[in-house]
Amino acid sequence: MVMDTIRKMLGGDRGGDEITCMEALEQIYDFMDGELEAADSAAVQKHFEVCTACYPHLKMEENFRRKVQSAMARAGTPTGLRDRVLTLLDEGESEGEAPE
Amino acid sequence: MADSPDRRAAFEAEAVPHLDAVYRFALRLAGSPDAAEDLVQETYLRAYRAWEQFTPGTNAKSWLFTICRNVFLRQRERGQRHQEIVERESPRELAQGVGNLVNPIWSSTNDQDPEGQFFDSIVDDEVLRAIDALPEEYRTAVVLSDVEGLPYQEIAEMMGVPVGTVKSRLFRGRRQLQKVLHDFAVEMGYIEQRSSEVG
Ligand SMILES: [Zn+2]
């Protein structure tokens, strides 16, 4: 136990990348949003993989995000919008030719 | 003088492919398909006229989102007043205290649905309604991050706020949305209310 703590404090033996539950939860959105440096991201990921207390928390956030994404994906672009936009650009071009 | 075919071709190659994403975003801002289509058309017209201001190699999608939001905000200014959000811009404050770190939704469901599978049972329309009910600042941040996957820095530039403010808006927006969906799931009987505050 004491040796583990010392090893962690010294950051040796790859024990230095271990983080606490609080640190993992604090960074949960940074982690999910891909905003962490590779080493930090790996440390957070490792924590969620091995910590039974934090793991469901990550799953819940992931389920929530998936739901938001799938709900948003259902709203399809109206038929013909692309053509209407392109037509509008043509008109915009001819308007641009007219003097002020 | 007519616009060069090159200019038009570049715009069609770089901006027009993002039409679906811009429409998705516009629909959440404007609320109705008709208003969203108007917003998209105005966005593309302005973008085309300002095409020289676009920096090649940067994210055209972000640039279009910025124009789209600016058009929307200007229209809204002319229309009815909107509710200003009260922002305490300290991400530290958000992270302080374990009570804030542990999602209250999770505390309420951890003995019956620890991984939040109840979200799957909720119909899409209800989710969209909940998104639309968020203050615009939260809604925009959540949509751009969760759905469009934009980095904090790009969202910050788009919204003209520091990255810390984006993080705070995401935190609050997500928690608020989760609470609404959780309460809906309880109402529908997908999960039981087990709040420690109740007992
Ligand atoms: Zn943990």
Side-chain angles (χ1 to χ4, degrees), chain B residues 54-161:
Chain B
F54 172 71
T55 315
T58 62
N59 192 345
K61 196 163 83 165
S62 289
W63 185 68
L64 290 162
F65 286 154
T66 309
I67 296 172
C68 183
R69 180 167 185 260
N70 288 343
V71 170
F72 170 75
L73 293 180
R74 256 198 305 276
Q75 284 173 353
R76 191 180 63 174
E77 257 171 43
R78 288 199 293 266
Q80 87 268 40
R81 310 187 109 259
H82 72 284
Q83 206 190 332
E84 292 283 342
I85 54 164
V86 181
E87 285 186 290
R88 288 155 297 168
E89 306 297 6
S90 155
R92 276 286 112 203
E93 161 244 332
L94 296 173
Q96 265 161 17
V98 181
N100 215 356
L101 286 177
V102 175
N103 196 321
I105 305 306
W106 189 64
S107 312
S108 149
T109 58
N110 71 41
D111 61 336
Q112 50 179 330
D113 183 7
E115 298 185 3
Q117 282 164 5
F118 72 87
F119 286 121
D120 270 341
S121 320
I122 301 171
V123 290
D124 290 337
D125 281 345
E126 199 61 41
V127 178
L128 295 177
R129 248 196 301 278
I131 294 172
D132 293 351
L134 291 174
E136 186 277 323
E137 290 84 350
Y138 296 173
R139 198 186 332 146
T140 291
V142 168
V143 168
L144 295 181
S145 178
D146 286 6
V147 182
E148 303 300 340
L150 294 187
Y152 294 166
Q153 185 60 45
E154 274 184 37
I155 301 174
E157 283 164 21
M158 256 202 62
M159 300 184 84
V161 296

Side-chain angles (χ1 to χ4, degrees), chain A residues 33 63 67 77 84 90 93, chain B residues 20 37 48 115 122 152:
Chain A
D33 296 338
N63 276 323
K67 186 66 206 185
T77 311
R84 288 194 289 281
D90 293 336
E93 279 175 8
Chain B
D20 290 339
E37 169 145 359
Y48 189 48
E115 298 185 3
I122 301 171
Y152 294 166

Side-chain angles (χ1 to χ4, degrees), chain A residues 21 47 51 53-54:
Chain A
C21 291
H47 183 90
C51 178
C54 291

Side-chain angles (χ1 to χ4, degrees), chain A residues 19-22 24-25 47-48 50-55:
Chain A
I19 58 169
T20 63
C21 291
M22 206 167 135
L25 293 179
H47 183 90
F48 280 116
V50 299
C51 178
T52 50
C54 291
Y55 177 79

Side-chain angles (χ1 to χ4, degrees), chain A residues 38-52:
Chain A
D40 293 335
S41 180
V44 172
Q45 179 167 5
K46 187 178 159 203
H47 183 90
F48 280 116
E49 278 167 7
V50 299
C51 178
T52 50

